[in-house]
C-alpha cells in the first residue's frame, strides 16, 4: 500500500540511502551517528553517464509504458487500462486516486533536469518542483555543463492530482521506475523495425552533414537526448535529426519563401515546414504506422547568420541520406 510521507525531506532522505545502495558502483558508508556519505557524481560534466543502467543504447531498448506499468500504480488508486505513449520516450496513465479523483501520471525517459543539486532520488542527483497541483520529480542520468547553462538529462515523473501533497507519491513512483530500469527493464517491442532503437547522432553521415551545414564543422557535442540530435557549426548553421511518434506536421510554406526544391524520399508521405526568420527548413517523412501513431523522422537545417545557402536543399539532401540508412519499415 502507498504510505504517504508527511515531509518530503524525510522521504528524500530515506530514498537517497536506499538508492545509493542500489546504484552501480555506489556504496553507502555509515559513521557512528549512522549518517550516510553520498558520493559525488559528475552531474556538471557534459555527457557524463551517472548510471550504466541509463546508457542511451540501453535505455532506447526499454519499454517506457511497460516501466510505468511495473511501478505498481494500483497502490495509488485505479489505473486506466490504457497506457498512452507520447513520443518514443514518454508514457502516461490517466488514472483515479483512492477517492475517485483525477490522478494523472507521466513517465519521461528523457527530461531536462535544470538543478539536480538539492536532492537524491534512487541514488541519482534530483530535482523537485511543484505548482498548481502538479509535481515534477526528476533524477539526472546524464550530466551537462551546468556552469554554461547546460541542462542535465534524466528520468522524470510528472504527477497531477487534487491531493495536498502530490510530490511524495511522485518521488516514490520515480524511485520505483529507476529500480525497474536497473533490475528488470521491460523490452521495447517497438525497436524491431522501428525508430526507437536507433541513435539519431549516429545516423547522419559526417560528409553529408558537413555539406548540409554549408561546409561548416559540426560541434562535438551532438545529442540533445535519446531521440534528437542537434549540431551547431561555426558558420551559424544548425542541423537536427529527430525521431518522433505521433502525428506529422502539415506542410507549411509562408508567403515570400523561395520555391521548394524537388524532395523525393522514395514515395513515402512527406511534409515540409519553412521558416523565414531565421531561414530554416524541416523535412518530415513517415517511417511506419503503428497502433500508437505514426513513427516519423524530422531533419531540419537553420541558417542563423543568413549565409548564402538554401536550408530546404540542405535539409532534403540530409533527409535522403538519413532515410537511406534506416531499415525498411
Amino acid at each position: 500500500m502507498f504510505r504517504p510521507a508527511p515531509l518530503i525531506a524525510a522521504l528524500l532522505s530515506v530514498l537517497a540511502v536506499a538508492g545509493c545502495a542500489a546504484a552501480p558502483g555506489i556504496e553507502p558508508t555509515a559513521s557512528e551517528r549512522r549518517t550516510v556519505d553520498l558520493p559525488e557524481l559528475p552531474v556538471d560534466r557534459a555527457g557524463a553517464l551517472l548510471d550504466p543502467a541509463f546508457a542511451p543504447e540501453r535505455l532506447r531498448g526499454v519499454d517506457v509504458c511497460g516501466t510505468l506499468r511495473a511501478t505498481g500504480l494500483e497502490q495509488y488508486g485505479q489505473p486506466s487500462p490504457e497506457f498512452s505513449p507520447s513520443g518514443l520516450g514518454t508514457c502516461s496513465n490517466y488514472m483515479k486516486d483512492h477517492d475517485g479523483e483525477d490522478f494523472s501520471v507521466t513517465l519521461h525517459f528523457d527530461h531536462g533536469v535544470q538543478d539536480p543539486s538539492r536532492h537524491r532520488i534512487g541514488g541519482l542527483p534530483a530535482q523537485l518542483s511543484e505548482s498548481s497541483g502538479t509535481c515534477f520529480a526528476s533524477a539526472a542520468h546524464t550530466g551537462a555543463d551546468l556552469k554554461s547553462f547546460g541542462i542535465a538529462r534524466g528520468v522524470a515523473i510528472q504527477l497531477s492530482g487534487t491531493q495536498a501533497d502530490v510530490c511524495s507519491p511522485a518521488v516514490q513512483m520515480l524511485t520505483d521506475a529507476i529500480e525497474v530500469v536497473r533490475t528488470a527493464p521491460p523490452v521495447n517491442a517497438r525497436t524491431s523495425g522501428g525508430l526507437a532503437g536507433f541513435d539519431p547522432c549516429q545516423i547522419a553521415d559526417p560528409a553529408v552533414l558537413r555539406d548540409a551545414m554549408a561546409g561548416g564543422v559540426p560541434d562535438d557535442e551532438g545529442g540533445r537526448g535519446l531521440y534528437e540530435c542537434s549540431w551547431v557549426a561555426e558558420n551559424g548553421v544548425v542541423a537536427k535529426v529527430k525521431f518522433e511518434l505521433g502525428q506529422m506536421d502539415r506542410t507549411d510554406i509562408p508567403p515570400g519563401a523561395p520555391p521548394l526544391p524537388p524532395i523525393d524520399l522514395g514515395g513515402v508521405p512527406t511534409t515540409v515546414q519553412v521558416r523565414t526568420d531565421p531561414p530554416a527548413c524541416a523535412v518530415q517523412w513517415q517511417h511506419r504506422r503503428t497502433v500508437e501513431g505514426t513513427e516519423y523522422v524530422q531533419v531540419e537545417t537553420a541558417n542563423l547568420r543568413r549565409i548564402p545557402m538554401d536550408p530546404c536543399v540542405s535539409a532534403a539532401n540530409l533527409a535522403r541520406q538519413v532515410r537511406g540508412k534506416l531499415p525498411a519499415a
Side-chain angles (χ1 to χ4, degrees):
M1 294 292 293
F2 163 54
R3 298 181 298 278
L7 294 175
I8 284 291
L11 179 60
L12 287 168
S13 176
V14 173
L15 294 176
V17 174
C20 281
I26 298 177
E27 296 295 336
T29 57
S31 70
E32 294 181 355
R33 295 184 179 181
R34 296 183 179 273
T35 60
V36 175
D37 295 328
L38 295 178
E40 291 295 326
L41 294 175
V43 69
D44 57 351
R45 193 173 76 224
L49 182 62
L50 309 184
D51 186 331
F54 292 88
E57 61 274 13
R58 185 176 189 270
L59 197 55
R60 291 188 190 100
V62 179
D63 184 347
V64 62
C65 286
T67 301
L68 182 59
R69 186 180 291 110
T71 61
L73 297 181
E74 295 80 5
Q75 61 188 308
Y76 307 101
Q78 181 61 49
S80 168
E82 296 184 359
F83 285 75
S84 305
S86 174
L88 294 174
T90 302
C91 187
S92 301
N93 190 278
Y94 303 101
M95 56 183 289
K96 302 289 185 181
D97 65 14
H98 290 298
D99 296 323
E101 300 292 333
D102 289 341
F103 199 65
S104 301
V105 56
T106 300
L107 173 62
H108 304 268
F109 273 175
D110 185 26
H111 184 75
V113 189
Q114 294 189 354
D115 183 15
S117 62
R118 298 186 179 183
H119 305 292
R120 288 287 178 96
I121 297 177
L124 295 174
Q127 179 181 14
L128 279 177
S129 60
E130 190 272 333
S131 177
S132 302
T134 297
C135 182
F136 275 94
S138 53
H141 53 57
T142 305
D145 187 350
L146 303 180
K147 293 182 180 179
S148 297
F149 304 102
I151 298 176
R153 312 304 301 181
V155 58
I157 285 287
Q158 176 185 353
L159 184 61
S160 299
T162 59
Q163 299 180 359
D165 176 12
V166 288
C167 279
S168 288
V171 169
Q172 291 190 0
M173 288 178 183
L174 181 57
T175 304
D176 291 339
I178 292 172
E179 184 66 12
V180 169
V181 172
R182 282 178 177 152
T183 61
V187 175
N188 186 355
R190 292 199 303 267
T191 58
S192 177
L195 298 173
F198 288 89
D199 182 351
C201 292
Q202 300 298 322
I203 208 76
D205 179 87
V208 178
L209 180 61
R210 284 195 298 272
D211 287 344
M213 303 181 79
V217 179
D219 60 2
D220 293 331
E221 288 192 14
R224 295 295 184 270
L226 290 176
Y227 300 109
E228 178 179 354
C229 203
S230 177
W231 300 269
V232 181
E234 80 287 352
N235 60 4
V237 178
V238 177
K240 295 181 182 180
V241 176
K242 187 175 183 180
F243 301 150
E244 283 279 11
L245 173 67
Q247 184 174 355
M248 293 169 55
D249 296 328
R250 296 181 178 180
T251 291
D252 182 16
I253 304 174
L260 288 180
I263 300 178
D264 181 8
L265 298 179
V268 295
T270 304
T271 64
V272 181
Q273 297 81 45
V274 178
R275 297 197 310 270
T276 56
D277 189 20
C281 186
V283 178
Q284 296 180 347
W285 70 92
Q286 177 182 300
H287 178 69
R288 69 174 181 176
R289 298 182 69 88
T290 72
V291 295
E292 300 163 336
T294 298
E295 284 190 4
Y296 65 94
V297 185
Q298 175 173 311
V299 170
E300 179 178 358
T301 59
N303 184 7
L304 302 185
R305 295 183 185 171
R306 299 177 180 270
I307 65 173
M309 66 172 291
D310 185 332
C312 281
V313 171
S314 295
N317 290 339
L318 183 56
R320 277 188 286 269
Q321 181 268 310
V322 169
R323 183 170 188 267
K325 201 167 181 179
L326 291 170

